[in-house]
Amino acid sequence: MNPVHLRNAARVLRAGGVIAYPTEAVWGLGADPWNRDACEHVLAIKQRTWDKGLILVASDADQLAPFVDVPSKAAWKRAAVTWPGPNTWVFPCTDDTPMWISGDHDSVAVRISAHETVRALCTRFGGAIVSTSANPSTRPPALSATQARLYFGDDLDYVLPGATGGLLRPTSIRDAATGHILRR
């Protein structure tokens, strides 16, 4: 991964911008989860309501700590054995988790990625970032940078070059407390 591109993408995130970047299966939209305006911009361009919440992706567990309230050692272990990897887990959220991240829930969906670009981006940014598929809500997720640009054009502040991780569909989502699959 080109360090100049990582530096630029992280700078845009810190400035409140929205980026497109490759993830495990599809292209994602990213923003600083603590920046309400940036997250609301993501929701607006996706034409998605805030109440569904947003997934966060990180390069390590410490980056998720401000958002995740671990209900038990078993719940954490259930998720941790699948990370880093293409597995998103829903945990109770901390009192500090912004409502634009948790939506109309008392939980938050999180993932520690194994995707090299995602991990490098989170490390360079210094924390977890929003990771929602790069598509308007009625359209299929972008599978390339070109498709992300076609969907969003000037609404994107930066497009981080790279390739997806080769998965054929978005990551599964599971409940950390029970292990139940919420999305295949």
Side-chain angles (χ1 to χ4, degrees):
M1 172 85 301
N2 183 319
V4 172
H5 288 300
L6 285 172
R7 183 176 62 241
N8 291 340
R11 184 179 313 129
V12 167
L13 290 171
R14 283 191 287 276
V18 174
I19 68 166
Y21 63 98
T23 70
E24 293 87 347
V26 299
W27 275 71
L29 294 178
D32 176 352
W34 299 108
N35 186 314
R36 183 179 190 149
D37 290 339
C39 293
E40 287 179 349
H41 186 70
V42 167
L43 293 169
I45 66 176
K46 278 187 65 79
Q47 302 162 14
R48 179 177 167 166
T49 59
W50 72 274
D51 56 319
K52 292 182 180 181
L54 293 165
I55 294 173
L56 299 179
V57 66
S59 61
D60 61 52
D62 289 341
Q63 293 179 343
L64 297 178
F67 305 97
V68 172
D69 185 14
V70 179
S72 68
K73 288 182 183 180
W76 182 256
K77 184 177 179 182
R78 191 175 287 120
V81 299
T82 70
W83 288 337
N87 300 286
T88 300
W89 291 87
V90 176
F91 282 91
C93 60
T94 64
D95 291 340
D96 295 330
T97 301
M99 69 177 198
W100 55 87
I101 296 299
S102 61
D104 196 20
H105 308 282
D106 57 2
S107 57
V108 61
V110 296
R111 178 172 76 252
I112 297 176
S113 181
H115 190 281
E116 181 181 331
T117 300
V118 174
R119 292 176 66 81
L121 175 60
C122 291
T123 298
R124 183 69 191 209
F125 175 66
I129 63 170
V130 167
S131 183
T132 185
S133 59
N135 60 297
S137 64
T138 60
R139 306 289 303 272
L143 299 177
S144 67
T146 300
Q147 192 174 15
R149 283 187 190 100
L150 287 172
Y151 278 156
F152 301 113
D154 291 339
D155 284 319
L156 295 175
D157 298 301
Y158 195 78
V159 177
L160 182 62
T164 62
L167 294 182
L168 299 178
R169 50 196 213 197
T171 62
S172 64
I173 300 176
R174 298 182 200 166
D175 183 300
T178 65
H180 289 121
I181 296 173
L182 305 174
R183 178 181 82 185
R184 288 197 185 276

